[in-house]
Amino acid sequence: MDCKRNAVIRLWDCRILRDGALQREDLWMRNGKIIDPEKLFFDERRSADVEMHCPFIISPGFIDIQINGGFGVDFTSCTATTIGSAVALVRKNILAHGVTSFCPTVITSSPALYHELLPHVKRARGGAHGAEILGLHLEGPYINKDKKGAHRLEFVQTTLPNGAVDFDTTYGDLGDTSIITVAPELEGGMVAIEQLAKRGITVSLGHSDANIDLAQEAIRRGARCMTHLFNAMPQFHHRDPGMVGLIAQSSAANLQTVFYGLIADGVHTHPATLKIAYRAHPKGAILVTDAISAMGFGAGIQFIAGVQIEITGNHALIAGTNTLCGSIATMDRCIRYFLEATDCSIVEALESASLHPAQLLGISDRKGTLNFYSDADFVVLDDHLHVLATFIAGECVWQGEKTNFVPPKC
Amino acid sequence: MRLVIVDDYSGVAEWAAKYVCRRILDFQPGPNKFFTLGLPTGSTPLGMYKKLIEFHRAGKLSFKYVKTFNMDEYVGLARQHPESYHSFMWNNFFKHIDIDPLNAHLLDGNAKNLVEECDLFEKEIKKAGGIELFIGGIGPDGHIAFNEPGSSLVSRTRVKTLAKETIIANARFFGNDVSQVPTMALTVGVGTVMDAREVMILITGAHKALALYKAIEEGVNHMWTVSAFQMHPRSLFLCDEDATLELRVKTVKYFKGLIHVHNQLVEDHVDAPAGISMAKQLSTEN
């Protein structure tokens, strides 16, 4: 679809996710933005140039703030020469899963690697070539050694004597970084968190042994999120809830909304656990894939970075073992699983993959909603939340083969 | 004058919508022949709009060759305000139909020069060839549009200061804060509506019963401005049972006796040519 500049497009009879409800409404757009048809009618006295019947659910485009790779590539394993094509491959292929913007994620690495990779991953607009890059998510290396998970111990750093300056030294230029996952209990961690937050970088707490008081202190200092809740943090205990306890307090304790990432792949977090977290703090839930390179492959044996991986159903295991080696669930599948596991509404499931991550990143004026003047990034879905088509800036960038959805022609 | 009495509000909504539909279809509008419609806002016509939208969705009725002129609008109220008549028309009618935005005319209550705006509106109506069918509702005090008691019966489109009672009654739409209610409005005059080739007035509910009685059973009087339409060659009052409570039994019985004749005005034509001629014949008598 190649619409002329200034062409007004109207999708009518949709069920649009807007203001917390699926509204039977028309979606109007022009030049890549959602527009107010009432203003068009009375001010410009114009109607649509292109009209299309679209009796489907329309959700804001999904935003994945934690994705390590997929479709055979792993960002952290890249070099200066391969990172560009790896990001390009992933951003193109996640369109089929409704993801219209994302934060490529690099996990704990050596300073040399950060200096090598980071300059090659810039914020970039989306389109037919792929989802918008919202900036990097750097997960580590400032994390707790005891909670390192699959991160490489030799690269973990445990002190920040110079505050945020240490981030600059380790990572290099942070101009295209949106999120940093950090453990607040590290020496100098609190000061660093405060400084990062002031610079406009979103701080997420994770790979940490922090108790609830320490985590609260970090929130007061400007941290806004918890990385893959329940994973790589203290287990919930009724007398010592740990960082997890924040989900029960963020609404009560005069804290601003604390967000938390959830991997709803049916493997990493038990459905009962998803339900507990979600029920405690529905407005903070953010669905992430935390996907590894095997995401997007069918069942069978794959070789990734020299390791033989066996994919069966939702599981990616190191072949011949029972060792999980990351999430391979796509965003649309996570949403469907989350919906079923938590008994939430369709609206709440979709907002957890769109509105909430946009709010975390402070971009909900243009992403994560279908309000007037937002970017026309959206997903067309059937009643069971299967993706029929994906739009970025008003342009159909992906459509399913076996659907009766036909994008508007100009 | 005709008086059509149906059972209740939904009956009024359906009859009115069918009548509008019939009139537009029989007019056979086209690119060089637009049907011009005068439109009200408020709770009384809301049901009619819903029905008209249904007809449009079912493919029975298009507004492509229809021009509309709205009766009134508040002065100084932001157009986007949910209580503005622009918002009402957009949300309850225009956004659901295929009317060309260029053909939907509303008075601009935020115009720099309000007098000019009113004069322009009159000119636009003339330019469109006058109004074919003006639909109106009335207030409990018998006002049509914002032509409140005492308005000249030959008035034209103009700025009006609202009666204290109207302002107080409207406060419920503005958070019960009287200070938020607009105190002025632009409105078509009684004379403007009188110029339409046909006028249909919708009246529902017991609280409008006195107004209906004043409108049709007493003399023409500027204190009940809607009574002016007794002098109109083609007027139709459409009401529910509740609105007839103050009428004489004789009046009600007489018009109910004619309902089978009036119902022919809204029936689908079984045999198109004959049907059209029947409707035409009916619609010329009064």
Side-chain angles (χ1 to χ4, degrees), chain A residues 29-40:
Chain A
M29 52 191 172
R30 173 166 61 187
N31 296 334
K33 301 274 183 191
I34 313 263
I35 57 168
D36 178 355
E38 188 176 346
K39 281 179 77 79
L40 186 79

Side-chain angles (χ1 to χ4, degrees), chain B residues 34-230:
Chain B
F34 278 77
F35 188 90
T36 48
L37 202 50
L39 295 176
T41 52
S43 54
T44 310
L46 191 58
M48 174 189 75
Y49 287 130
K50 286 203 171 107
K51 277 281 163 194
L52 286 172
I53 293 163
E54 266 178 44
F55 296 160
H56 171 66
R57 292 205 163 186
K60 290 182 200 163
L61 181 61
S62 167
F63 294 88
K64 202 169 168 208
Y65 301 116
V66 173
K67 290 185 184 181
T68 63
F69 290 87
N70 266 82
M71 297 186 123
D72 41 17
E73 176 59 286
Y74 290 114
V75 168
L77 185 64
R79 201 194 61 209
Q80 293 89 339
H81 191 285
E83 290 305 324
S84 85
Y85 292 170
H86 279 77
S87 287
F88 179 96
M89 289 308 295
W90 169 254
N91 287 308
N92 295 305
F93 196 41
F94 292 148
K95 79 171 179 184
H96 304 284
I97 60 170
D98 61 343
I99 190 165
D100 183 337
L102 288 170
N103 293 330
H105 301 271
L106 284 90
L107 286 153
D108 178 4
N110 294 298
K112 280 205 185 83
N113 186 331
L114 294 172
V115 174
E116 239 170 51
E117 172 69 12
C118 293
D119 293 346
L120 190 70
F121 200 69
E122 289 277 346
K123 279 185 195 136
E124 289 285 342
I125 292 175
K126 267 207 187 77
K127 216 169 89 186
I131 287 171
E132 195 62 33
L133 173 62
F134 218 126
I135 303 161
I138 59 169
D141 60 2
H143 71 253
I144 177 140
F146 275 119
N147 295 289
E148 304 201 279
S151 292
S152 156
L153 299 186
V154 292
S155 52
R156 311 303 305 185
T157 305
R158 68 213 185 286
V159 187
K160 279 289 281 183
T161 303
L162 304 188
K164 190 84 186 158
E165 268 180 41
T166 309
I167 294 171
I168 291 167
N170 283 350
R172 68 185 193 276
F173 300 123
F174 295 86
N176 288 317
D177 181 354
V178 174
S179 70
Q180 297 296 309
V181 186
T183 56
M184 291 199 297
L186 304 185
T187 178
V188 294
V190 179
T192 317
V193 184
M194 282 295 283
D195 285 350
R197 284 183 278 286
E198 182 172 11
V199 179
M200 175 164 71
I201 309 288
L202 313 181
I203 307 138
T204 57
H207 62 302
K208 305 260 173 96
L210 187 67
L212 179 59
Y213 152 68
K214 291 283 186 182
I216 67 173
E217 285 190 338
E218 298 244 311
V220 172
N221 189 311
H222 64 179
M223 294 312 286
W224 298 85
T225 51
V226 69
S227 65
F229 296 100
Q230 292 177 24

Side-chain angles (χ1 to χ4, degrees), chain A residues 170-189:
Chain A
T170 301
Y171 296 125
D173 182 16
L174 287 172
D176 284 280
T177 295
S178 284
I179 307 174
I180 295 179
T181 291
V182 64
E185 67 269 30
L186 303 186
E187 184 196 331

